[in-house]
Amino acid sequence: MKKINSILTTITLTVLLAACADNKKATTTEPSLKEIFKDDFDIGTALSADQIEEKDSIADEVIRRNFNSLTPENIMKSMHIQPEWGTYDFTPADKLVEYSQKHGMSVVGHTLIWHSQLPQFARNITSKDSLAEFFTNHINTVASRYDRKIQGWDVVNEALNEDGTMRESIFYKLLGEGYVTEAFRLTQEAAPNTELYYNDYNNEQPSKRAGCIELIKKIQDAGVRIDGVGIQGHWHVGRIPLKEIEESILEYSALGLKVMITELDVEVLPRNFQGADVNQRMTMKDDPAFNPYVDGLPDSVQQQLADDYAALFELFLKHKDKITRVTFWGVNDGQSWLNGWPVPGRTNHPLLFDREFKPKPAFYKVIEAKKN
Ligand code: XIL
């Protein structure tokens, strides 16, 4: 009886393995994003800590197949890489670099100086001297370690308000507005072989864009290097600001900078504010109207999402001489931060791969955009 059971188990396993292999075959006949756009721009994705650890083999296959640029979603942010004063945890970032080298991909470091996701000790700093010490040590230590190992750094993230004025962050308040130029100067010294970027959301919108241009000019006028500007690209279905994006690509590029779309996702759920400030929350009643697509996207929204992505990629292709990279903020819908922000526990569908890692209609429309 035992023997029969073990034979049955072996047969079941064999059948299951064959089915998995078949499934895998099915996915490998899909087009690859990085191949399709290889003459145009890099195609990136943000990787979660688990994906960097290669914990999910299906995710890993989709990543290796489609992307040639990797941004760590969280692990290089200061709260993770320097959790205590002077104590660094480089293990996940080193693993990411190793993974990228093994697969011939590049890495974008995200991010050196940002007011969010700071370690607790830094948030508690009240004196200018202590903050300047943290600022200098953090940049020197982290940027120098990854020079020649990563392609570029988001040196400063989100320094601006919506009206283009400087955000009153801890850095602005204690170090003054010159802190942005100083961050680029320090990174340039610590990582002379690494590209340096300024990154923000909504910096395609006219007022914020004007502030962003002013900020970039200050860096350039100080004789400090800045190589690129990142437009995060957290947009909303049916409301993609194509005109503003195009104007921004042209204006940023006219400053001599590479333009990058760095955190692309197209949200489908209701929202009562714009932007992507991770500290902003939306309080909502327990009303199912605020989480309408728990069982999947209706065809009309799926189609709108696909059309929006197609329009975006048509625009990116039109300006491929100015755009060096388009990075999605996550590999599939299940991973997206938009399931938890700005309202926890919703079911969002903002990316090209669904929760099962299957390409969505938007994926095929993006591929078609290239063919047209
Ligand atoms: C988000 C991550 O995706 C989340 O996992 C984390 O909890 C909060 O931060 N702008 C940025 C990114 O520059 O770093 C943010 O990432 C999304 C908005």
Side-chain angles (χ1 to χ4, degrees), residues 73-74 77 110-111 114 117 157-158 199 201 232 234 263 276-278 329 336-337:
E73 186 177 357
N74 286 301
K77 291 172 180 172
H110 177 79
T111 168
W114 187 29
Q117 293 185 276
N157 198 31
E158 302 177 354
N199 194 51
Y201 60 83
Q232 289 185 6
H234 295 294
E263 304 185 13
D277 185 340
V278 297
W329 205 242
S336 171
W337 72 302

